[in-house]
Amino acid sequence: MTRVAFLGLGAIGAPMARHLATDRFELAVWNRTPEKALAFASTGRSRVATTPADAARDADVVITCLPSSREVAALIDGPDGLLAGLGQGALVVDCTSGDPGTSRRIAERLAAHGVDFVDAPVSGGTTGAEKGTLTVMCGGSDAAVGRARPVLEAFAERVVHCGGVGAGDAVKAVNNALLAVHIWSAAEGLAALAKAGVDADLALEVINASSGRSNASMNLFPERVLTRAFPRTFRLGLLDKDVAIAADLARAARVPSPLLQLTAELFRAAHNALGDGADHVEAVKVVEQWAGVEIV
Ligand code: NDP
């Protein structure tokens, strides 16, 4: 039986880990706020670890799912850190939407101790995590991704090996930058149509049968904006981080990227305006405020 440790039982981590709490895996869980780990373990087969080192002890595969690469890097060293528990030949799979540079540094640090690393951010949202239908984009060696695959397939429908360490993070950041562009541009367009007296439902009926449609127009706006529900599933602060990673990636590659840079600025401003608790779709409220109109 594969021994797995899962660290980070947040909005998406908890439903991912739930698929590992079965008789196919021996699961240890750790969360910074221990009450969440205790609540998780009270409903099924897992052991609550007291520290990252305790979680990693005897694990074949350690999965991390934290806000950013910074928090993952901070978990590695020290008496309670992952390296204090990890054995030679273990594998760390980081499902955080991280940044490629930090992931490469983490991989080097772990490699010095005989531990392999795969960056493995996910897409599909909390609903996909609950259903076990996530897409995972991996960066790492063929051997490491091959070892990660059977564990990732417990909560994923699709596992794509994108390249070396950092490639998964890069693909994830660009995907989420596109999500951000779609949310913001749909908000501007629908705000303009609202001011012109066009009903948002009717506008979306046309757009969603036409070439301007996107996941934002087809799902997020009908389900979350027009209903004013704005459920909190993916924090705006996390999308701000992702767009910034994509903008940095383009700048570092010397790719002219005015749209990505502007989108990073817009989401930083929205995050600052709405605070850490806001959901990513609530960025629409900033456009509405600037326009003086609600998209309903
Ligand atoms: P949440 O904010 O819900 O959860 C974050 C988790 O990280 C919590 O377990 C939190 O612990 C822990 N954490 C935060 N700071 C630290 C720290 N300094 N040290 C140790 N643990 C820490 O985030 P999500 O679960 O939504 O996101 C996790 C990752 O997945 C992010 O990179 C995000 O971009 C990505 N993602 C999220 C999606 C979503 O729909 N939510 C979709 C796709 C990717 P505590 O409970 O103590 O706060």
Side-chain angles (χ1 to χ4, degrees), residues 10 15 40 42 81 138-139 148 161 205 208-209 217 219 223-224 279 287 295:
F40 179 93
S42 71
C138 296
H161 187 183
E205 187 183 338
N208 287 337
S217 71
N219 297 308
E223 291 166 13
R224 300 176 178 217
D279 184 72
V287 178
I295 300 166

Side-chain angles (χ1 to χ4, degrees), residues 8-13 30-33 36 65-67 71 75 95-97 122 125-126 172 233-235 238 241-242:
L9 300 169
I12 200 154
W30 177 83
N31 195 69
R32 179 182 62 173
T33 307
K36 286 192 199 169
C65 190
L66 303 183
E71 287 83 20
L75 232 57
C95 290
T96 305
S97 301
V122 304
T126 51
K172 175 66 188 176
T233 60
F234 174 44
R235 291 190 292 115
L238 295 173
K241 164 212 57 166
D242 293 336

